[in-house]
Amino acid sequence: MRISPRPLMATPTAAGSTRGFKPAPMALLPPIPLYRRILRSHRHKLPNEMRVIGDQYVRSEFRAHRDVENPVHIIGFLTEWQLYAQKLEGDSWLEEKLDTGKIDKMSDQQLGQLYELMQAIQKRARDDDERDQQ
């Protein structure tokens, strides 16, 4: 067997690059296992009231995207939900702020939904404070 020196030599992109190596892309879960994983995470990690809201939102989003055929849109959708599931399982979502890059990419409808969610959370916090004071 003849040994080739080629595998032993470092390539300029691998060794001398200032960018470093890119992390390996994560494998995307198929939609149904991902959906189940998210609902399971909600069941184990969220309080009951948040779980109900989260489950309804996940169900409506997965139903709304059931018939999407654009592969780029599907990959983006599954990637974001998988990142959400990983954060939820690891408790790194607590006290986390939204990435401004993601906010900039949101449509007007998405920003409106986000604003409504913020108002609902603030109202609930006020109601909880009033109950605690009584």
Side-chain angles (χ1 to χ4, degrees):
M1 177 176 174
R2 190 173 143 212
I3 298 175
S4 171
R6 189 168 269 194
L8 302 175
M9 296 173 56
T11 62
T13 57
S17 174
T18 57
R19 293 182 299 162
F21 293 106
K22 290 183 179 179
M26 65 179 170
L28 286 176
L29 287 174
I32 293 175
L34 178 59
Y35 176 78
R36 290 178 182 153
R37 178 180 174 186
I38 292 168
L39 294 179
R40 192 176 318 113
S41 295
H42 283 184
R43 190 169 50 246
H44 295 294
K45 298 287 186 169
L46 297 180
N48 265 349
E49 291 177 358
M50 289 177 69
R51 177 184 167 202
V52 170
I53 294 170
D55 288 354
Q56 288 174 350
Y57 184 74
V58 170
R59 283 186 187 104
S60 69
E61 283 296 303
F62 273 76
R63 281 188 184 124
H65 290 82
R66 186 183 322 180
D67 297 325
V68 172
E69 295 190 18
N70 181 348
V72 174
H73 190 91
I74 294 169
I75 290 171
F77 177 81
L78 294 175
T79 300
E80 288 302 318
W81 278 109
Q82 188 160 327
L83 289 171
Y84 167 76
Q86 289 171 346
K87 285 182 181 183
L88 192 62
E89 290 167 352
D91 290 333
S92 66
W93 59 278
L94 297 170
E95 303 297 324
E96 184 178 340
K97 296 187 183 220
L98 286 175
D99 181 24
T100 55
K102 288 185 180 180
I103 293 174
D104 293 340
K105 291 179 183 178
M106 288 183 180
S107 68
D108 290 340
Q109 180 185 7
Q110 290 170 323
L111 289 172
Q113 288 176 336
L114 187 61
Y115 182 72
E116 288 173 8
L117 177 63
M118 181 190 72
Q119 287 180 324
I121 291 169
Q122 289 174 344
K123 181 181 184 300
R124 180 170 178 221
R126 282 192 305 269
D127 293 344
D128 288 346
D129 288 343
E130 288 175 4
R131 265 190 252 128
D132 291 343
Q133 290 176 357
Q134 291 176 353

